[in-house]
Amino acid sequence: MGGDKTKIVLGYILICLIWGSTWIAIKLGLDTLTPMFAVGLRFFIAAIVLYFIIKLNNIDIQTDSKSIKLYLFMGLFSFVIPFSLVYWAEQFVPSGLASVLFAIFPFWVILFSRIAFPKERIGMYKLFGVILGFIGIAVIFKNEFSFNFGDNTLGILAVILSAIMQGGVAVVMKKYGQELNPVSMNFYPLLITGLVLVPIGLLFEESSRITFSSNALFSILYLSIVGTVVAFTVYYWLLKRINVVILSLSSFITPIIALLLGWFF
């Protein structure tokens, strides 16, 4: 049991560090890549990496009707729409501000948990912790809240909508995805996202500005392997073992990491 607790703590720290770094990595890639194309390529490469991991480790991919429905749900509401919104928003919103805005994620996890698990009490301590955590983040990052109700207004709304969707997905997967393997459960959703968004990016975005600079290559590879394969596998492994509200509190830690990295780079 002690070993499991250690793994949970280390896993929690790992996703905080990784997702804190992904905001600046996204911003880096968008210098020479278009949003939809960058999202699609990131997840398509991640799907290929996951496929080889699954084959090398003889991991079964569940293909029953319930699992397929969850794959389609994840593909659309955990990857295609919310990540497209975030990537598009980061053209107008600083990476630090985007990560702070995403910190509303735990509130939506609480709300959706009340709907999905009506018999499970959230508890005043968790609710107080979420509110206190958000206030702390807002105070720490008060200088980031320089809203310009022009170019970045829609970007701000896009990040908030993404956080709402991800809150809903986390609760749905906590309730219905317990039987899915944390490695294989991401393969189909990531593949679907890549197959949908890469063509959309090439057809409907300004493909002439796509340039695979060294920054763009680093961004895509880092986000594909570390920010997706590693982070999401650990995240869904944790989702099976700890309370979804506690897990969502990682979004209060990632803005600090994101802002420090944004300042450094």
Side-chain angles (χ1 to χ4, degrees), residues 183-240:
V183 176
S184 64
M185 70 188 297
N186 282 310
F187 171 68
Y188 279 118
L190 293 175
L191 183 62
I192 290 167
T193 307
L195 293 176
V196 169
L197 290 182
V198 168
I200 286 176
L202 292 174
L203 288 171
F204 298 104
E205 292 183 315
E206 192 180 347
S207 57
S208 59
R209 58 168 278 224
I210 295 175
T211 306
F212 286 99
S213 63
S214 57
N215 282 349
L217 287 171
F218 168 78
S219 172
I220 290 294
L221 292 175
Y222 178 78
L223 290 169
S224 297
I225 297 168
V226 181
T228 302
V229 174
V230 176
F232 277 101
T233 299
V234 174
Y235 175 79
Y236 285 115
W237 180 85
L238 288 170
L239 191 61
K240 294 172 181 287

Side-chain angles (χ1 to χ4, degrees), residues 86-216:
V86 166
Y87 270 68
W88 178 83
E90 283 221 39
Q91 296 177 107
F92 315 107
V93 178
S95 58
L97 176 57
S99 66
V100 173
L101 291 169
F102 199 85
I104 66 165
F105 171 63
F107 291 102
W108 291 98
V109 169
I110 289 175
L111 177 61
F112 290 128
S113 294
R114 290 294 298 159
I115 298 169
F117 306 103
K119 294 181 180 179
E120 183 178 305
R121 293 181 69 254
I122 299 298
M124 287 304 297
Y125 288 113
K126 287 179 188 172
L127 185 59
F128 179 73
V130 169
I131 294 171
L132 188 64
F134 187 78
I135 292 172
I137 287 295
V139 170
I140 293 171
F141 295 97
K142 61 182 184 294
N143 292 332
E144 291 287 307
F145 291 103
S146 54
F147 293 108
N148 172 22
F149 288 99
D151 289 342
N152 68 355
T153 305
L154 290 177
I156 289 166
L157 294 175
V159 175
I160 292 171
L161 182 57
S162 176
I164 294 170
M165 285 189 179
Q166 293 288 17
V169 171
V171 174
V172 169
M173 297 311 296
K174 179 70 175 180
K175 186 170 184 176
Y176 298 109
Q178 292 295 316
E179 296 82 14
L180 295 176
N181 183 290
V183 176
S184 64
M185 70 188 297
N186 282 310
F187 171 68
Y188 279 118
L190 293 175
L191 183 62
I192 290 167
T193 307
L195 293 176
V196 169
L197 290 182
V198 168
I200 286 176
L202 292 174
L203 288 171
F204 298 104
E205 292 183 315
E206 192 180 347
S207 57
S208 59
R209 58 168 278 224
I210 295 175
T211 306
F212 286 99
S213 63
S214 57
N215 282 349

